[in-house]
Coordinates of all heavy atoms in Angstrom, one line a residue:
M1248 N 0.9 -1.1 0.0 CA 0.0 0.0 -0.1 C 0.8 1.2 0.1 O 1.9 1.2 0.6 CB -0.9 0.1 1.2 CG -1.7 1.2 1.3 SD -2.9 1.1 2.7 CE -1.8 1.0 4.1
G1249 N 0.5 2.3 -0.7 CA 1.2 3.5 -0.8 C 1.0 4.3 0.5 O -0.1 4.3 1.0
G1250 N 2.0 4.9 1.1 CA 2.0 5.7 2.2 C 1.1 7.0 2.1 O 0.9 7.6 3.1
E1251 N 1.0 7.5 0.9 CA 0.0 8.6 0.8 C -1.4 8.2 0.4 O -2.2 9.1 -0.2 CB 0.7 9.3 -0.5 CG 2.0 9.9 -0.2 CD 2.7 10.7 -1.3 OE1 2.1 10.9 -2.3 OE2 3.8 11.2 -1.1
E1252 N -1.9 7.0 0.8 CA -3.3 6.6 0.5 C -4.2 7.4 1.5 O -3.8 7.8 2.4 CB -3.3 5.0 0.8 CG -2.6 4.2 -0.2 CD -3.2 4.1 -1.5 OE1 -4.3 4.7 -1.8 OE2 -2.6 3.3 -2.3
E1253 N -5.5 7.6 1.1 CA -6.4 8.1 2.0 C -6.8 7.3 3.1 O -6.7 6.0 3.0 CB -7.7 8.4 1.1 CG -7.4 9.6 0.0 CD -8.7 9.9 -0.6 OE1 -9.8 9.7 -0.1 OE2 -8.6 10.5 -1.8
S1254 N -7.1 7.8 4.2 CA -7.4 7.1 5.4 C -8.5 6.0 5.3 O -8.3 4.9 5.8 CB -7.7 8.0 6.6 OG -8.8 8.8 6.3
G1255 N -9.5 6.3 4.4 CA -10.5 5.3 4.3 C -10.0 4.2 3.6 O -10.5 3.0 3.9
F1256 N -9.2 4.3 2.6 CA -8.6 3.1 2.0 C -7.6 2.3 2.9 O -7.7 1.1 2.9 CB -7.9 3.6 0.7 CG -7.3 2.5 -0.1 CD1 -8.1 1.9 -1.0 CD2 -6.0 2.2 -0.1 CE1 -7.7 0.9 -1.8 CE2 -5.6 1.2 -0.9 CZ -6.4 0.4 -1.8
V1257 N -6.8 3.0 3.7 CA -5.9 2.5 4.6 C -6.7 1.6 5.5 O -6.2 0.6 5.9 CB -4.9 3.4 5.4 CG1 -4.3 2.9 6.5 CG2 -4.2 4.2 4.4
S1258 N -7.8 2.1 6.1 CA -8.5 1.3 7.2 C -9.1 0.1 6.6 O -9.2 -0.9 7.3 CB -9.7 2.2 7.9 OG -10.5 2.6 7.0
G1259 N -9.7 0.1 5.4 CA -10.1 -1.0 4.7 C -9.1 -2.1 4.4 O -9.3 -3.3 4.8
I1260 N -7.9 -1.6 4.0 CA -6.8 -2.6 3.7 C -6.4 -3.3 5.1 O -6.1 -4.5 5.2 CB -5.7 -2.0 3.2 CG1 -6.0 -1.6 1.7 CG2 -4.4 -2.9 3.1 CD1 -6.2 -2.6 0.7
E1261 N -6.3 -2.4 6.2 CA -5.8 -3.0 7.4 C -6.9 -3.9 8.1 O -6.5 -5.0 8.6 CB -5.5 -1.8 8.4 CG -4.2 -1.1 8.0 CD -4.0 0.1 8.8 OE1 -5.0 0.6 9.6 OE2 -2.9 0.7 8.9
S1262 N -8.1 -3.7 7.7 CA -9.2 -4.6 8.3 C -9.3 -5.9 7.5 O -9.4 -7.0 8.1 CB -10.7 -4.1 8.1 OG -10.8 -2.9 9.0
F1263 N -8.9 -5.8 6.3 CA -8.8 -7.2 5.5 C -7.7 -7.9 5.9 O -7.8 -9.2 6.0 CB -8.8 -6.7 4.0 CG -8.8 -8.0 3.1 CD1 -9.9 -8.9 3.2 CD2 -7.7 -8.2 2.2 CE1 -9.9 -10.0 2.4 CE2 -7.8 -9.4 1.4 CZ -8.9 -10.3 1.4
E1264 N -6.5 -7.3 6.1 CA -5.4 -8.0 6.5 C -5.6 -8.5 7.8 O -5.2 -9.9 8.1 CB -4.1 -7.0 6.6 CG -2.9 -7.7 6.8 CD -2.4 -7.7 8.3 OE1 -3.0 -6.9 9.1 OE2 -1.5 -8.5 8.7
K1265 N -6.1 -7.9 8.9 CA -6.5 -8.5 10.1 C -7.4 -9.7 9.9 O -7.3 -10.7 10.7 CB -7.2 -7.4 11.0 CG -7.3 -7.8 12.4 CD -7.9 -6.8 13.3 CE -8.2 -7.4 14.7 NZ -8.8 -6.3 15.5
F1266 N -8.4 -9.5 9.1 CA -9.3 -10.7 9.0 C -8.7 -11.9 8.4 O -9.0 -13.1 9.0 CB -10.4 -10.2 8.0 CG -11.3 -11.4 7.5 CD1 -12.5 -11.7 8.2 CD2 -11.1 -11.9 6.2 CE1 -13.2 -12.7 7.7 CE2 -11.8 -12.8 5.7 CZ -12.9 -13.3 6.5
L1267 N -7.7 -11.7 7.5 CA -7.1 -13.0 7.0 C -6.2 -13.5 8.0 O -6.1 -14.7 8.1 CB -6.2 -12.5 5.7 CG -7.0 -12.2 4.5 CD1 -6.1 -11.8 3.3 CD2 -7.8 -13.4 4.0
E1268 N -5.4 -12.7 8.9 CA -4.6 -13.2 9.8 C -5.3 -13.9 10.8 O -4.9 -15.0 11.3 CB -3.9 -12.0 10.6 CG -2.8 -11.4 9.7 CD -1.5 -12.3 9.6 OE1 -1.5 -13.1 10.3 OE2 -0.6 -11.8 8.9
E1269 N -6.6 -13.5 11.3 CA -7.4 -14.1 12.3 C -8.0 -15.4 11.7 O -8.2 -16.5 12.6 CB -8.6 -13.3 12.7 CG -8.1 -12.1 13.4 CD -9.3 -11.1 13.8 OE1 -10.3 -11.3 13.3 OE2 -8.9 -10.1 14.7
R1270 N -8.1 -15.7 10.6 CA -8.5 -16.8 9.9 C -7.6 -18.0 10.0 O -8.0 -19.1 9.9 CB -8.9 -16.7 8.4 CG -10.1 -15.7 8.1 CD -11.4 -16.1 8.7 NE -11.8 -17.4 8.1 CZ -13.0 -17.8 8.1 NH1 -14.0 -17.3 8.8 NH2 -13.3 -19.1 7.4
N1271 N -6.2 -17.8 10.2 CA -5.2 -18.6 10.4 C -5.2 -19.6 9.2 O -5.0 -20.8 9.5 CB -5.3 -19.2 11.9 CG -4.0 -19.8 12.2 OD1 -2.9 -19.3 11.7 ND2 -3.9 -20.7 13.0
Y1272 N -5.2 -19.2 8.1 CA -5.3 -20.2 6.9 C -3.8 -20.9 6.9 O -2.8 -20.3 6.9 CB -5.5 -19.6 5.5 CG -7.0 -19.1 5.4 CD1 -7.1 -17.8 5.4 CD2 -7.9 -20.0 5.4 CE1 -8.5 -17.3 5.2 CE2 -9.2 -19.6 5.1 CZ -9.5 -18.2 5.0 OH -10.7 -17.8 5.0
D1273 N -3.9 -22.2 6.8 CA -2.6 -22.9 6.8 C -1.9 -22.7 5.5 O -2.4 -22.7 4.3 CB -2.9 -24.5 6.7 CG -1.7 -25.4 6.9 OD1 -0.8 -25.0 7.5 OD2 -1.6 -26.5 6.2
G1274 N -0.5 -22.3 5.7 CA 0.3 -22.0 4.4 C 0.2 -20.6 3.9 O 0.8 -20.3 2.9
L1275 N -0.8 -19.7 4.5 CA -0.9 -18.4 3.9 C 0.2 -17.5 4.7 O 0.1 -17.4 5.9 CB -2.3 -17.8 4.2 CG -2.6 -16.4 3.7 CD1 -2.4 -16.3 2.3 CD2 -3.9 -16.0 4.1
N1276 N 0.9 -16.8 4.0 CA 1.9 -15.9 4.6 C 1.6 -14.5 4.1 O 1.7 -14.2 2.8 CB 3.4 -16.3 4.1 CG 4.4 -15.2 4.6 OD1 4.2 -14.6 5.8 ND2 5.5 -15.3 4.1
I1277 N 1.1 -13.6 4.9 CA 0.7 -12.2 4.5 C 1.8 -11.3 4.8 O 2.3 -11.3 6.0 CB -0.5 -11.8 5.3 CG1 -1.7 -12.8 4.9 CG2 -0.9 -10.5 5.1 CD1 -3.0 -12.6 5.9
I1278 N 2.2 -10.5 3.8 CA 3.1 -9.5 4.2 C 2.4 -8.1 3.7 O 1.9 -7.9 2.6 CB 4.4 -9.6 3.2 CG1 5.1 -10.9 3.5 CG2 5.3 -8.5 3.3 CD1 6.1 -11.3 2.5
Y1279 N 2.3 -7.3 4.7 CA 1.7 -6.0 4.7 C 2.6 -4.9 4.7 O 3.5 -5.0 5.6 CB 0.7 -5.9 5.9 CG -0.1 -4.6 5.9 CD1 -0.9 -4.2 5.0 CD2 0.3 -3.6 7.0 CE1 -1.6 -2.9 5.1 CE2 -0.4 -2.4 7.1 CZ -1.3 -2.0 6.1 OH -1.8 -0.9 6.2
E1280 N 2.8 -4.1 3.6 CA 4.0 -3.2 3.4 C 3.4 -1.9 3.2 O 2.4 -1.8 2.3 CB 4.8 -3.7 2.5 CG 6.1 -2.9 2.2 CD 6.9 -3.3 1.0 OE1 6.6 -4.2 0.2 OE2 8.1 -2.8 0.9
I1281 N 3.8 -0.9 3.8 CA 3.5 0.5 3.3 C 4.7 1.2 2.6 O 5.8 1.2 3.2 CB 3.1 1.5 4.5 CG1 1.8 0.8 5.2 CG2 2.8 2.8 4.2 CD1 1.5 1.5 6.4
I1282 N 4.5 1.5 1.4 CA 5.6 2.0 0.5 C 5.5 3.6 0.6 O 4.6 4.2 -0.1 CB 5.7 1.4 -0.8 CG1 5.7 -0.1 -0.7 CG2 6.8 2.1 -1.5 CD1 5.5 -0.7 -2.1
E1283 N 6.4 4.2 1.4 CA 6.3 5.7 1.4 C 6.6 6.4 0.3 O 7.4 5.8 -0.6 CB 7.2 6.1 2.7 CG 7.0 5.6 4.0 CD 5.5 6.0 4.5 OE1 5.0 7.2 4.1 OE2 5.0 5.3 5.3
G1284 N 5.9 7.5 0.0 CA 6.2 8.4 -1.2 C 5.2 8.0 -2.3 O 5.5 8.6 -3.3
Y1285 N 4.4 7.1 -2.1 CA 3.6 6.6 -3.2 C 2.1 6.6 -2.8 O 1.7 6.6 -1.8 CB 3.9 5.1 -3.6 CG 5.2 5.1 -4.3 CD1 6.4 4.7 -3.4 CD2 5.3 5.2 -5.7 CE1 7.7 4.7 -4.2 CE2 6.8 5.1 -6.3 CZ 7.8 4.8 -5.5 OH 9.1 4.7 -6.0
G1286 N 1.3 6.8 -3.9 CA -0.1 6.9 -3.6 C -0.8 5.8 -4.4 O -0.3 4.9 -5.0
H1287 N -2.1 5.8 -4.5 CA -3.0 4.7 -5.1 C -2.5 4.6 -6.5 O -2.6 3.4 -7.0 CB -4.3 5.1 -4.9 CG -5.4 4.0 -5.2 ND1 -5.5 3.0 -4.5 CD2 -6.1 3.7 -6.4 CE1 -6.3 2.0 -4.9 NE2 -6.7 2.5 -6.1
D1288 N -2.3 5.5 -7.3 CA -2.0 5.4 -8.7 C -0.6 5.2 -9.1 O -0.2 4.9 -10.3 CB -2.6 6.6 -9.5 CG -3.9 6.8 -9.5 OD1 -4.7 5.9 -9.3 OD2 -4.5 7.9 -9.5
T1289 N 0.3 5.3 -8.1 CA 1.8 5.2 -8.3 C 2.4 4.0 -7.6 O 3.5 3.7 -7.9 CB 2.4 6.4 -7.9 OG1 2.3 6.7 -6.6 CG2 1.9 7.6 -8.8
V1290 N 1.7 3.3 -6.7 CA 2.3 2.3 -5.8 C 2.4 0.9 -6.7 O 3.3 -0.1 -6.2 CB 1.7 2.2 -4.5 CG1 0.4 1.4 -4.7 CG2 2.6 1.4 -3.5
F1291 N 1.8 0.7 -7.8 CA 1.7 -0.5 -8.4 C 3.2 -1.0 -8.8 O 3.5 -2.1 -8.5 CB 0.9 -0.4 -9.7 CG 0.8 -1.7 -10.4 CD1 0.0 -2.7 -10.1 CD2 1.5 -1.8 -11.7 CE1 0.0 -3.8 -10.7 CE2 1.4 -3.1 -12.5 CZ 0.6 -4.1 -11.8
K1292 N 4.0 -0.2 -9.4 CA 5.3 -0.6 -10.0 C 6.3 -1.0 -8.7 O 6.7 -2.2 -8.8 CB 6.0 0.4 -10.8 CG 5.4 0.5 -12.1 CD 6.1 1.5 -13.0 CE 5.4 1.6 -14.4 NZ 6.1 2.6 -15.2
P1293 N 6.3 -0.2 -7.7 CA 7.2 -0.7 -6.6 C 6.6 -1.9 -5.9 O 7.5 -2.7 -5.3 CB 7.4 0.6 -5.8 CG 6.3 1.5 -6.1 CD 6.0 1.1 -7.6
S1294 N 5.3 -2.0 -5.8 CA 4.8 -3.2 -5.1 C 5.1 -4.4 -5.8 O 5.3 -5.4 -5.2 CB 3.3 -3.0 -4.8 OG 2.6 -3.0 -6.0
I1295 N 4.9 -4.4 -7.2 CA 5.2 -5.5 -8.0 C 6.8 -5.9 -7.8 O 7.2 -7.0 -7.8 CB 4.9 -5.3 -9.6 CG1 3.4 -5.1 -9.7 CG2 5.4 -6.4 -10.3 CD1 2.5 -6.5 -9.2
R1296 N 7.7 -4.9 -8.0 CA 9.1 -5.1 -7.8 C 9.3 -5.9 -6.4 O 10.1 -6.7 -6.3 CB 9.9 -3.8 -7.8 CG 11.4 -4.0 -7.7 CD 12.2 -2.8 -7.3 NE 11.7 -2.2 -6.0 CZ 11.3 -1.0 -5.7 NH1 11.3 0.0 -6.7 NH2 10.8 -0.7 -4.5
N1297 N 8.7 -5.3 -5.4 CA 9.0 -5.9 -4.0 C 8.4 -7.3 -3.9 O 9.1 -8.1 -3.2 CB 8.3 -4.9 -2.9 CG 9.1 -3.7 -2.7 OD1 10.1 -3.3 -3.5 ND2 8.4 -2.7 -2.0
A1298 N 7.2 -7.5 -4.5 CA 6.7 -8.9 -4.5 C 7.6 -9.8 -5.2 O 7.8 -11.1 -4.6 CB 5.3 -8.9 -5.1
L1299 N 8.2 -9.5 -6.3 CA 9.1 -10.4 -7.1 C 10.3 -10.5 -6.2 O 10.8 -11.7 -6.2 CB 9.4 -9.8 -8.5 CG 8.2 -9.8 -9.4 CD1 8.6 -9.1 -10.6 CD2 7.9 -11.2 -9.8
E1300 N 10.9 -9.6 -5.6 CA 12.1 -9.8 -4.8 C 11.7 -10.7 -3.6 O 12.6 -11.6 -3.2 CB 12.5 -8.5 -4.2 CG 13.2 -7.6 -5.3 CD 13.7 -6.2 -4.8 OE1 13.4 -5.8 -3.6 OE2 14.3 -5.6 -5.6
I1301 N 10.6 -10.6 -3.1 CA 10.1 -11.4 -1.8 C 10.0 -12.9 -2.5 O 10.5 -13.8 -1.8 CB 9.0 -11.1 -1.2 CG1 9.2 -9.7 -0.5 CG2 8.2 -12.1 -0.3 CD1 7.9 -9.1 -0.1
F1302 N 9.4 -13.1 -3.6 CA 9.0 -14.4 -4.1 C 10.4 -15.1 -4.5 O 10.5 -16.3 -4.3 CB 8.2 -14.3 -5.4 CG 7.8 -15.5 -6.0 CD1 6.8 -16.4 -5.4 CD2 8.3 -15.9 -7.1 CE1 6.4 -17.5 -6.1 CE2 8.1 -17.3 -7.7 CZ 7.1 -18.1 -7.1
Y1303 N 11.3 -14.4 -5.1 CA 12.5 -15.0 -5.4 C 13.6 -15.0 -4.4 O 14.9 -15.2 -4.6 CB 13.1 -14.4 -6.8 CG 12.2 -14.7 -7.9 CD1 11.3 -14.0 -8.5 CD2 12.2 -16.1 -8.5 CE1 10.5 -14.3 -9.5 CE2 11.5 -16.5 -9.4 CZ 10.6 -15.7 -10.0 OH 9.7 -16.2 -11.1
G1304 N 13.3 -14.5 -3.2 CA 14.3 -14.6 -2.0 C 15.3 -13.4 -2.0 O 16.4 -13.7 -1.5
K1305 N 15.0 -12.5 -2.6 CA 16.2 -11.4 -2.6 C 15.7 -10.2 -1.7 O 16.3 -9.1 -1.8 CB 16.2 -10.9 -4.1 CG 16.7 -12.0 -5.0 CD 17.1 -11.4 -6.4 CE 17.4 -12.6 -7.3 NZ 18.6 -13.2 -7.1
S1306 N 14.8 -10.3 -0.8 CA 14.4 -9.3 0.0 C 14.3 -9.7 1.5 O 13.9 -10.9 1.7 CB 13.1 -8.7 -0.4 OG 12.5 -7.7 0.5
D1307 N 14.4 -8.9 2.4 CA 14.3 -9.3 3.9 C 12.8 -8.8 4.3 O 12.5 -9.1 5.5 CB 15.3 -8.6 4.6 CG 16.6 -9.1 4.4 OD1 16.7 -10.3 4.1 OD2 17.7 -8.5 4.6
V1308 N 12.0 -8.3 3.5 CA 10.6 -7.8 3.9 C 9.9 -9.2 4.2 O 9.9 -10.1 3.6 CB 10.0 -7.1 2.7 CG1 8.6 -6.9 3.1 CG2 10.7 -5.7 2.5
G1309 N 9.2 -9.1 5.4 CA 8.5 -10.1 5.9 C 9.2 -11.3 6.4 O 8.5 -12.4 6.7
R1310 N 10.4 -11.2 6.6 CA 11.2 -12.3 7.2 C 11.5 -12.1 8.6 O 11.7 -11.1 9.0 CB 12.4 -12.7 6.3 CG 12.0 -13.1 5.0 CD 13.3 -13.2 4.1 NE 13.0 -13.2 2.8 CZ 13.3 -14.2 1.9 NH1 14.2 -15.0 2.4 NH2 12.9 -14.3 0.8

């Protein structure tokens, strides 16, 4: 999520993340990240980059 998101959007994402965590799905690993300096329309590229780095083991985010 971009650090410049509107508060209503932030609360919705945080509620959904909490909901998923509480469900305790086996094998589900949730990484919740706020990328500062980006908003709703600009966070896509850095979030994809970070997801690929996490997926391929080149990032410490969520570890």
